[in-house]
Amino acid sequence: MSTLKKIPDSRLGSLSPASPEYNAETDEYFFDHSPVLFNEILDLYRTGELHVPSNCCGAVLQRELEYWKIPKCLISECCIHSYHSYVQAQNTIQSIRESFEDNILDYSPTEYRNSKMKKMFRTIWITLDQPKSSTCAKVFNALYLALVLLSVLVFLLSYQPYCRNETMTHEKLVYMKNYSTISLFQSVNLNNAKQVMFLTTEIHPLLDNIDLFCIVFFTLELFAHFLTCPRKIKFFTYVLNVLDLYLVVAMWTTFAIETQIEKYLNDSGMINFYTVLKASLVLRLLRFFRLMKQFSALKILFMSLKASIKELLLLFITFLLASVFFASFVYFAEFNEQDVFPTIIESVWWAIITMTTVGYGDMYPTSSAGKLVGIACAASGILIIAMPIAVVAANFSEYYLKNSERRLRGRLMKSKKKKRSCCSWGESPQVNHYSSSPPSPRNLLKRQNSKLTGIIASNSKSNGTSKKQKGKKTKNLPNGVQKRDAPSSAISRKSVTNENHGIWYDVPDLRVH
């Protein structure tokens, strides 16, 4: 007892004859618990450190510590990895479960059972929000992604010269620049092919109509999505829904400006607003992230980045400090050189390009001291980037593995339910107590075969002869059986009895082909 009192707050340290584990008849303390780690628990009281076998599961260790009321801080440093890996795995599984299962918006059963409208809204909501919920949802999701791809394709083709119709010749543009009072034409750079293209051409009508159709589709989809949402306040807490709202507003705004573009040619502020709004429509590419609900690996990638935010922040800070450090060194190393590294701010650009091993070649050191700084900068960049990226890759591997295990367990559960529903023949067989030896498997097989061929056992004692139906030829049947006229496909319980034994069992009545 003096040894156990070393940890007085534990279960063993607080033992006394009044403890519920004490048996007065045998003068023993009995614990109805697993003895897997009990030797290690006793060694803890002797040595003061808890050493765990390497093959011990973290869940078992946690359960044992909770049962014996032992603080987790007593686990030795050499064995803490087993417990820490279990806690980390549990946190990972919990975050995946919350991301894929717990955050799904849906109507409560009482809402859609008591209202036909809510039931219809729920059907539409599930179809729009859960792409794997039904065949209709899969078809709609495929259509949605196809239109997203079509919208992106139209956006790219609208900036190609061969997909635009000419509305103004180059000579007329020169004339408008020289003699027009419109500020847009006066500020145009005739040497800039992009500005000339936008002022002298317009998008092809076919592409314009396709783009308008996509705008209408995405507007109706957003409206139906919001209208049928069970929790409308939470609807805009999702980034993709906010993005859809912004894109719909931006698309209709640019469409309205383009229909009245002549009125705004002299308004430089409106033209700049239109340009920024038009450029922001490239965000329609982010609609592809709806695939996260269909392909979980894409969502796992974002969860891994979120779990690695500390490492990424460390990478950003370290990378920024190193780039400023090497930019300052190369600036002073090339101080006597002309036309290279004019300021430290511009030298930071060179340092970033060098540390990421991109090397555009627009700026480069020419002196020996500057080249030494460049070598150190490139080598440091490889080390600085490589170390945090390894942590991010490890997090992604862990999340991906846990998600694969979750999906595998879900498939096993589905297959188990399917097997029960497809292969179950009703209730489990109920066997009575035998008065003598049970029937042999061969006799049971004969009975089952007789059932499959449309033969049923006779309830009365057989006279050893077979009865023939009038007008029909029949084969000789075994003693005690008669031919069934119309085999049934339902499952029924039959009783097979004889003088020696009796047994109840379930067999299916299968149709005979």
Side-chain angles (χ1 to χ4, degrees), residues 335-350:
F335 192 78
N336 295 328
E337 301 295 333
Q338 296 181 355
D339 301 331
V340 289
F341 307 106
T343 62
I344 294 181
I345 300 298
E346 295 184 16
S347 301
V348 171
W349 162 258
W350 168 85

Side-chain angles (χ1 to χ4, degrees), residues 107 192 215 225 230 339 369 455 508:
Y107 290 86
N192 191 332
I215 295 174
H225 214 162
D339 301 331
I455 302 172

Side-chain angles (χ1 to χ4, degrees), residues 310-503:
K310 294 181 179 179
E311 289 77 12
L312 295 176
L313 183 61
L314 176 63
L315 171 63
F316 175 76
I317 295 175
T318 308
F319 192 82
L320 179 62
L321 294 176
S323 61
V324 175
F325 178 80
F326 287 109
S328 303
F329 266 96
V330 77
Y331 173 77
F332 290 105
E334 299 289 326
F335 192 78
N336 295 328
E337 301 295 333
Q338 296 181 355
D339 301 331
V340 289
F341 307 106
T343 62
I344 294 181
I345 300 298
E346 295 184 16
S347 301
V348 171
W349 162 258
W350 168 85
I352 294 174
I353 297 303
T354 304
M355 293 179 69
T356 55
T357 67
V358 176
Y360 286 124
D362 53 345
M363 286 191 294
Y364 54 90
T366 56
S367 64
S368 299
K371 292 178 181 179
L372 291 176
V373 175
I375 293 173
C377 182
S380 301
I382 295 175
L383 297 176
I384 291 174
I385 295 176
M387 290 185 289
I389 294 301
V391 178
V392 177
N395 289 336
F396 176 78
S397 178
E398 181 180 3
Y399 273 88
Y400 190 84
L401 178 62
K402 296 301 180 184
N403 182 58
S404 300
E405 294 173 353
R406 181 188 67 87
R407 295 177 60 188
L408 176 60
R409 186 173 183 272
R411 288 196 295 267
L412 292 176
M413 295 298 293
K414 290 181 180 179
S415 62
K416 184 178 180 181
K417 293 179 180 179
K418 185 177 180 180
K419 186 176 180 180
R420 285 181 177 178
S421 61
C422 295
C423 301
S424 177
W425 283 1
E427 299 178 358
S428 59
Q430 299 180 4
V431 181
N432 293 336
H433 296 287
Y434 296 104
S435 59
S436 62
S437 60
S440 64
R442 184 177 181 181
N443 293 333
L444 288 177
L445 183 60
K446 286 182 178 180
R447 292 189 181 98
Q448 291 184 1
N449 291 336
S450 67
K451 301 294 289 183
L452 295 177
T453 55
I455 302 172
I456 60 175
S458 176
N459 293 329
S460 61
K461 293 184 178 180
S462 174
N463 55 5
T465 59
S466 60
K467 298 180 179 180
K468 297 183 180 180
Q469 297 180 359
K470 296 181 179 181
K472 294 183 180 179
K473 295 182 179 180
T474 58
K475 297 181 180 180
N476 294 331
L477 301 178
N479 295 337
V481 299
Q482 61 185 6
K483 188 173 182 181
R484 181 187 303 182
D485 294 333
S488 172
S489 62
I491 297 175
S492 61
R493 173 171 293 179
K494 301 297 180 182
S495 175
V496 180
T497 59
N498 58 20
E499 298 177 356
N500 299 325
H501 61 270
I503 178 174

Side-chain angles (χ1 to χ4, degrees), residues 28-240:
E28 292 178 344
Y29 292 95
F30 175 75
F31 301 92
D32 189 9
H33 202 69
S34 173
V36 175
L37 292 177
F38 191 71
N39 291 332
E40 285 73 16
I41 297 295
L42 289 180
D43 287 339
L44 168 64
Y45 289 90
R46 300 188 184 101
T47 63
E49 287 186 346
L50 178 60
H51 294 273
V52 186
S54 58
N55 59 347
C56 179
C57 176
V60 176
L61 177 60
Q62 185 182 34
R63 186 170 61 248
E64 293 296 316
L65 294 180
E66 292 176 354
Y67 178 78
W68 299 109
K69 299 179 181 180
I70 295 175
K72 301 177 181 63
C73 59
L74 296 180
I75 304 175
S76 61
E77 293 184 2
C78 58
C79 300
I80 194 66
H81 174 72
S82 177
Y83 179 77
H84 179 265
S85 60
Y86 165 74
V87 174
Q88 188 176 4
Q90 289 298 107
N91 294 335
T92 302
I93 294 173
Q94 181 63 24
S95 61
I96 293 176
R97 184 181 295 111
E98 291 177 355
S99 179
F100 284 96
E101 300 174 4
D102 297 343
N103 291 334
I104 297 177
L105 290 178
D106 195 4
Y107 290 86
S108 63
T110 56
E111 288 179 340
Y112 64 83
R113 287 176 182 174
N114 300 330
S115 175
K116 293 184 179 180
M117 181 175 293
K118 290 292 182 66
K119 186 176 182 180
M120 181 185 65
F121 279 5
R122 181 179 183 272
T123 303
I124 299 174
W125 167 257
I126 294 297
T127 303
L128 297 178
D129 195 67
Q130 301 299 325
K132 293 184 178 181
S133 59
S134 62
T135 304
C136 182
K138 293 178 181 179
V139 172
F140 176 81
N141 187 66
L143 176 62
Y144 182 89
L145 295 179
L147 289 180
V148 170
L149 181 61
L150 182 62
S151 176
V152 173
L153 183 62
V154 170
F155 178 77
L156 297 177
L157 292 178
S158 63
Y159 293 91
Q160 298 297 324
Y162 52 82
C163 293
R164 302 177 68 91
N165 295 334
E166 185 178 3
T167 58
M168 182 186 302
T169 61
H170 189 272
E171 291 76 11
K172 186 176 181 179
L173 179 62
V174 174
Y175 175 83
M176 296 294 292
K177 177 178 175 59
N178 295 329
Y179 300 102
S180 177
T181 58
I182 301 176
S183 60
L184 179 61
F185 291 107
Q186 292 178 353
S187 60
V188 65
N189 183 7
L190 297 177
N191 296 323
N192 191 332
K194 292 182 288 185
Q195 294 184 8
V196 173
M197 181 189 69
F198 275 99
L199 290 176
T200 58
T201 59
E202 66 178 5
I203 187 174
H204 194 277
L206 178 60
L207 297 179
D208 196 15
N209 293 332
I210 294 176
D211 192 30
L212 180 60
F213 173 76
C214 293
I215 295 174
V216 174
F217 174 82
F218 292 130
T219 303
L220 295 178
E221 189 272 340
L222 178 63
F223 178 75
H225 214 162
F226 176 75
L227 182 64
T228 59
C229 180
R231 305 291 181 269
K232 293 180 173 54
I233 298 178
K234 291 185 178 181
F235 181 79
F236 291 108
T237 59
Y238 293 89
V239 179
L240 290 179

